[in-house]
Amino acid sequence: MTHSSATQLAFARLLPRLYRGGQAYVGVEASLSDLTAQQAATRPDGLPHSVAGLLAHTSWWLAWMLEVVETGAAAPYPAHASVTWPEVGEADWERLKQEFYMLLARVDTHTSRPDLQSPVNFEETLGELLADFALHTAHHFGQIITVRQLIGAWPPASGGDTW
């Protein structure tokens, strides 16, 4: 096995875990568990987003990325970030979680594809796009944990980041 193919194999093994966490950081399922709709919609003083808002934003981008990956059609990034932050509230919480998990299931089908080096969006490869959005997801899930800590809803019953 060449160095390049070994690197590709390691990346392909890591990529699916980047979306779900569970080893290097608290998994997404644990991060969302045990939250009421009221807690999910609570925005702590001094912070711009609630857990629900962060999840809606993350899902918006996953849906955008999947459209690019699944259609093969390049898509420009939105002109303004505000487009990617849907307004959500308590009534949206269950739907938001279900949509997010459905998007993750779709992402799962692409993270182990053998063509991760194929161009997919302008100059980006499939692997780069998937890795970029895995990091974006992890970034916002770190914020979700912080919001949960600030509203007194951390750790979840599963223990979160304690063992």
Side-chain angles (χ1 to χ4, degrees):
M1 181 180 294
T2 67
H3 175 70
S4 176
S5 60
T7 301
Q8 289 173 1
L9 179 61
F11 178 68
R13 289 181 58 208
L14 173 65
L15 191 55
R17 293 193 310 259
L18 291 178
Y19 277 94
R20 294 197 176 261
Q23 287 184 314
Y25 59 93
V26 177
V28 295
E29 287 87 354
S31 298
L32 297 176
S33 68
D34 305 325
L35 271 180
T36 66
Q38 181 182 18
Q39 290 170 322
T42 299
R43 185 178 55 82
D45 290 339
L47 290 184
H49 306 293
S50 65
V51 169
L54 289 160
L55 188 62
H57 170 75
T58 302
S59 292
W60 191 98
W61 277 109
L62 288 179
W64 178 91
M65 179 201 67
L66 285 163
E67 181 73 16
V68 170
V69 168
E70 292 173 352
T71 66
Y77 286 86
H80 302 286
S82 60
V83 171
T84 71
W85 290 95
E87 288 290 324
V88 294
E90 285 183 41
D92 301 301
W93 180 235
E94 290 303 319
R95 176 188 54 81
L96 284 170
K97 286 191 302 183
Q98 293 310 309
E99 286 177 1
F100 176 73
Y101 291 131
M102 287 189 310
L103 289 167
L104 273 186
R106 286 172 56 197
V107 168
D108 287 343
T109 67
H110 298 291
T111 56
S112 59
R113 286 174 44 172
D115 60 340
L116 293 176
Q117 292 185 321
S118 297
V120 70
N121 194 43
F122 300 106
E123 298 297 316
E124 292 174 290
T125 66
L126 174 61
E128 289 169 334
L129 192 65
L130 286 165
D132 188 31
F133 283 94
L135 295 172
H136 178 259
T137 299
H139 166 80
H140 287 302
F141 268 80
Q143 291 176 311
I144 284 171
I145 291 168
T146 299
V147 169
R148 286 191 65 164
Q149 289 168 333
L150 290 170
I151 65 171
W154 189 261
S158 64
D161 57 357
T162 59
W163 59 87

